[in-house]
Amino acid sequence: MAALLSVDRVSKRFGGLAALEDVSLSVMAGEIYGLIGPNGAGKTTLFNCMTGLYTVSSGAIRLLGQPVQNSKPHRIVELGFARTFQNIRLFSNMTALENVMVGRHIRTRTGVVGAVLRGPFSCAEEQASRQRARELLGFVGLAGKGQALAGHLSYGAQRRLEIARALATEPKLLALDEPVAGMNPSERREMGDLFRKLRDAGITLLLIEHDVKLVMGLCDRVAVLDYGRKIAEGTPEVVQRDAAVIEAYLGGEPA
Amino acid sequence: MTALVARLRRNPLLAYGLLAVLLLLLPFLVGAGLGRGWVRVLDFVLLYSMLALGLNIVVGYAGLLDLGYIAFYALGAYLFAWLSSPHFGIHLPFWLVLPTGAALAGLFGVLLGAPTLRLRGDYLAIVTLGFGEIIRIFMNNLDAPINVTNGPQGINLIDPIRIAGLSLGQTTQLAGITFSPPHLYYYFFLAMTLATVFVALRLQDSRIGRAWAAIREDEVAAAAMGINTRNIKLLAFAMGAMFGGLAGGLFAAFQGFISPESFNLMESIMILCMIVLGGMGNVPGVLLGAFLLTVLPEALRYVGDWQRAVLGNVVVDPNDLRMLLFGLAMVMMMLYRPAGLIPSRQRRREFDADDGVAEQEQASLYDAGA
Ligand SMILES: Nc1ncnc2c1ncn2[C@@H]1O[C@H](COP(=O)(O)OP(=O)(O)OP(=O)(O)O)[C@@H](O)[C@H]1O
Ligand SMILES: [Mg+2]
């Protein structure tokens, strides 16, 4: 299988702090890839580098074979890589439906002239966007919530809405930053089901998660970051037994 | 009265019909009731409405604070003067000059935007403020070595707008009714303003309008959702500038005379105040703001006469009083209706949201702890 995303010796420094050091990994099409590590390990920083929000200090990132390190975020979305945020970043004063429709921006073409004249093309496109947005709300379990303000939705619903918005960009690869943080066990199970549904729909998932049990049950492969370095990678069973991982998580000597 | 309102609510067509008749008769009603001078004020209400709607695209829709907006108005006005006055001896028709002025202003919008749009908030405001002043200073000083702008004296004898042989600058008899130039310009400006309102409303409710709203709410998230933030901001700047340039051309033709004085910082601030007062981002609010802030200062001119009549002499100079009341009004607004007189749906939420958000954050903290 071809690598959908490959990260090659990426480093990211903030002044004197090395948030990422020589991190390499590759995500295969169709898998659920987990990224775990203690707080401050650099997981979110890696997401930000991959999605164009941060420029990398060195190293290369390839998406579908194309170099994308230091590309603009919208270029990366266009290539088929969407994400959600650890601290939810919805457009909170827009409705849920409008939030998802913003995600359609990159896949639609209507410009100023079309928006003003509303010719047949623009009308059809707008209609299709709206329709697709409704379907996606249904897909993530928010059917009927379209007219609610994003900021007024419950915490779990906001996490789902972020996923719907990202899905609207038609990603091949979807990166989720702690999507079940702050949820109770039954909500977590439901989210796990949603992730499997996404994989079955042909979307590759890259998942940051603290909940080791969820990660181990869900992911095909897992990478572990600690102090900006990748200390282990492999199937959940292998990683779980890795001495360096046990040390990073338990802070003790390997058994 | 309430019965009438209820009826109009049920029948929007009737409401629009009444509004149309009112708008058509307005200059005559105002002229008969308040005097000739007020028809001119009406014309300015329409001009400022166009300006405010244009700036509203930049500030209200896209959330970019532009304090140099008047520069685009100036560019449109000067271009009209150059291409339609004895200054260079060129007399092109208005339907050629107005779009050219709008395009020139739009181009300058992009030229200003391209290097500055990485700036945010206060910084952007300061750079645009500087741009506005630079344009004004250029206009003031470009009379030598080649006389381009005629310096502080300004450009005179600008051609009025002529539509099919009818000059809007001359009193005309039509079907037995006398139309003075302010009347004629009123109808022309009304048509332009309605077109501007149409464009503003359509843009707001479109793919482009949603993208503007998204970058206003959260620029990082907007970029991460595939919006080319630089281009979409430039588009807002260009669109706003085009309306500014168009209004500038209309102003030049209407006045017949322009000078750099008309394009100072106070004007930029005034237009911004119209938006803030009326309700940022909301078209009816912006129109109300433009109306109030054009009409009230005129009305306050009468306070001088009134003082002389009642108190025997002028105690407070009407000009000072205007600024005083204006300042007071703005402070009251910020205290009692910070989202504007007719806020947009979205703005109102932003200003009301505080409690809700705080509560929710609390709730989510609970979740996280559990
Ligand atoms: N913009 C920034 N400027 C400076 N330092 C940063 C910045 N972003 C992240 N860091 C630092 O980089 C390190 C890695 O942070 P990061 O957010 O990537 O960790 P994380 O693995 O996502 O942790 P968590 O599980 O808490 O989300 C931290 O020490 C953090 O303080
Ligand atoms: Mg993180």
Side-chain angles (χ1 to χ4, degrees):
Chain A
M1 238 190 285
L4 193 53
L5 174 78
S6 72
V7 173
D8 188 16
R9 307 199 53 168
V10 163
S11 298
K12 174 68 187 174
R13 278 179 285 279
F14 295 108
L17 176 87
L20 293 173
E21 273 191 88
D22 274 344
V23 174
S24 299
L25 52 85
S26 52
V27 180
M28 301 295 158
E31 71 180 336
I32 298 185
Y33 191 99
L35 191 58
I36 62 173
N39 287 114
K43 306 178 296 290
T44 299
T45 303
L46 183 58
F47 263 33
N48 288 343
C49 289
M50 293 189 299
T51 52
L53 295 183
Y54 287 167
T55 55
V56 302
S57 304
S58 66
I61 301 173
R62 264 181 292 274
L63 186 59
L64 294 159
Q66 293 199 47
V68 293
Q69 70 275 11
N70 307 341
S71 289
K72 290 271 176 238
H74 68 92
R75 281 280 307 141
I76 293 169
V77 177
E78 195 172 11
L79 285 172
F81 185 5
R83 67 170 292 174
T84 65
F85 292 89
Q86 179 172 356
N87 46 345
I88 302 173
R89 298 190 82 142
L90 288 165
F91 309 119
S92 44
N93 295 298
M94 296 166 84
T95 65
L97 191 74
E98 284 167 345
N99 267 271
V100 184
M101 286 177 81
V102 169
R104 294 300 302 157
H105 185 89
I106 191 86
R107 303 295 171 206
T108 46
R109 292 278 74 89
T110 298
V112 167
V113 176
V116 172
L117 298 182
R118 289 207 186 146
F121 173 80
S122 315
C123 276
E125 193 180 77
E126 181 81 1
Q127 205 47 48
S129 284
R130 196 173 297 274
Q131 183 55 33
R132 183 79 191 116
R134 278 206 201 92
E135 287 165 16
L136 286 170
L137 283 176
F139 183 82
V140 300
L142 293 176
K145 293 269 167 66
Q147 294 313 311
L149 282 187
H152 288 179
L153 291 174
S154 73
Y155 178 77
Q158 292 194 7
R159 288 247 178 248
R160 288 164 184 272
L161 179 56
E162 255 206 334
I163 294 174
R165 185 179 67 175
L167 287 174
T169 67
E170 295 174 16
K172 298 184 178 70
L173 174 61
L174 178 60
L176 305 170
D177 196 344
E178 303 199 14
V180 304
M183 289 185 177
N184 63 36
S186 81
E187 284 175 315
R188 282 172 189 234
R189 263 195 307 279
E190 283 171 30
M191 289 299 270
D193 293 341
L194 177 62
F195 301 153
R196 286 189 198 91
K197 214 162 74 166
L198 285 171
R199 183 194 36 202
D200 296 343
I203 294 170
T204 308
L205 289 183
L206 178 56
L207 191 67
I208 294 181
E209 197 39 71
H210 276 302
D211 183 342
V212 177
K213 220 187 320 165
L214 183 99
V215 168
M216 296 304 170
L218 196 66
C219 295
D220 301 302
R221 285 193 305 146
V222 178
V224 187
L225 286 185
D226 189 29
Y227 291 112
R229 293 176 174 279
K230 188 176 84 175
I231 56 170
E233 184 181 24
T235 60
E237 298 78 45
V238 172
V239 167
Q240 237 167 339
R241 285 196 299 270
D242 190 285
V245 175
I246 295 169
E247 190 193 333
Y249 268 94
L250 302 177
E253 291 295 309
Chain B
M1 190 64 197
T2 43
L4 181 70
V5 171
R7 214 175 139 164
L8 290 180
R9 257 183 215 288
R10 258 181 289 120
N11 193 344
L13 218 61
L14 184 67
Y16 282 121
L18 278 181
L19 185 66
V21 171
L22 181 70
L23 283 176
L24 285 178
L25 293 182
L26 197 59
F28 291 97
L29 297 176
V30 166
L34 297 166
R36 269 292 200 43
W38 281 91
V39 183
R40 259 182 81 78
V41 176
L42 275 187
D43 293 347
F44 275 104
V45 168
L46 293 174
L47 267 182
Y48 279 111
S49 295
M50 276 182 261
L51 277 173
L53 285 170
L55 182 60
N56 185 47
I57 293 179
V58 185
V59 181
Y61 292 179
L64 305 164
L65 188 48
D66 179 357
L67 287 183
Y69 187 66
I70 205 70
F72 304 119
Y73 187 56
L75 283 168
Y78 269 91
L79 190 87
F80 197 98
W82 290 327
L83 298 183
S84 215
S85 82
H87 184 64
F88 289 137
I90 306 172
H91 297 275
L92 294 178
F94 82 92
W95 49 264
L96 219 64
V97 184
L98 283 181
T100 314
L104 178 79
L107 180 72
F108 268 81
V110 173
L111 287 181
L112 167 68
T116 55
L117 282 179
R118 12 178 64 241
L119 304 173
R120 283 168 205 220
D122 317 352
Y123 299 101
L124 181 65
I126 294 202
V127 173
T128 52
L129 187 150
F131 171 75
E133 285 299 281
I134 288 169
I135 294 286
R136 189 178 60 81
I137 290 166
F138 260 102
M139 299 310 182
N140 229 333
N141 292 288
L142 273 184
D143 50 353
I146 309 164
N147 186 0
V148 182
T149 65
N150 208 26
Q153 275 98 56
I155 299 176
N156 231 322
L157 297 172
I158 300 166
D159 300 344
I161 284 171
R162 263 188 212 90
I163 303 171
L166 170 73
S167 166
L168 301 189
Q170 270 165 5
T171 302
T172 315
Q173 299 273 349
L174 277 177
I177 308 168
T178 315
F179 290 89
S180 72
H183 284 80
L184 293 169
Y185 274 103
Y186 171 84
Y187 293 109
F188 189 62
F189 288 0
L190 183 63
M192 299 302 252
T193 306
L194 289 177
T196 308
V197 168
F198 179 77
V199 172
L201 287 174
R202 282 263 164 122
L203 280 177
Q204 186 173 23
D205 179 23
S206 75
R207 169 176 177 265
I208 304 288
R210 278 192 301 273
W212 283 332
I215 60 163
R216 192 166 71 74
E217 291 253 326
D218 186 337
E219 196 176 329
V220 172
M225 287 309 121
I227 289 171
N228 183 337
T229 51
R230 190 191 44 134
N231 285 4
I232 209 82
K233 283 200 231 169
L234 276 183
L235 184 63
F237 249 67
M239 290 303 298
M242 280 174 73
F243 285 117
L246 182 69
L250 294 173
F251 171 71
F254 175 56
Q255 290 272 81
F257 161 74
I258 55 166
S259 72
E261 235 184 295
S262 310
F263 310 109
N264 57 36
L265 176 62
M266 200 51 214
E267 289 286 309
S268 281
I269 292 178
M270 206 60 167
I271 300 166
L272 191 62
C273 286
M274 292 172 180
I275 298 177
V276 174
L277 175 77
M280 211 184 287
N282 191 29
V283 169
V286 170
L287 293 174
L288 178 68
F291 175 81
L292 287 178
L293 287 193
T294 314
V295 166
L296 286 184
E298 291 298 325
L300 284 175
R301 282 183 204 283
Y302 292 91
V303 174
D305 302 341
W306 176 81
Q307 283 182 34
R308 205 173 290 114
V310 176
L311 304 170
N313 66 342
V314 180
V315 183
V316 187
D317 178 15
N319 246 328
D320 295 345
L321 190 68
R322 265 163 66 187
M323 290 323 275
L324 221 86
L325 285 178
F326 183 65
L328 187 70
M330 286 326 256
V331 171
M332 298 299 271
M333 276 289 304
M334 289 304 109
L335 282 176
Y336 295 107
R337 289 195 73 100
L341 293 174
I342 318 180
S344 69
R345 210 167 39 118
Q346 205 167 333
R347 283 281 160 182
R348 191 165 43 222
R349 289 177 210 144
E350 276 166 39
F351 281 98
D352 292 348
D354 298 351
D355 319 332
V357 169
E359 250 165 53
Q360 222 161 357
E361 250 154 38
Q362 288 272 311
S364 67
L365 281 177
Y366 268 131
D367 284 355

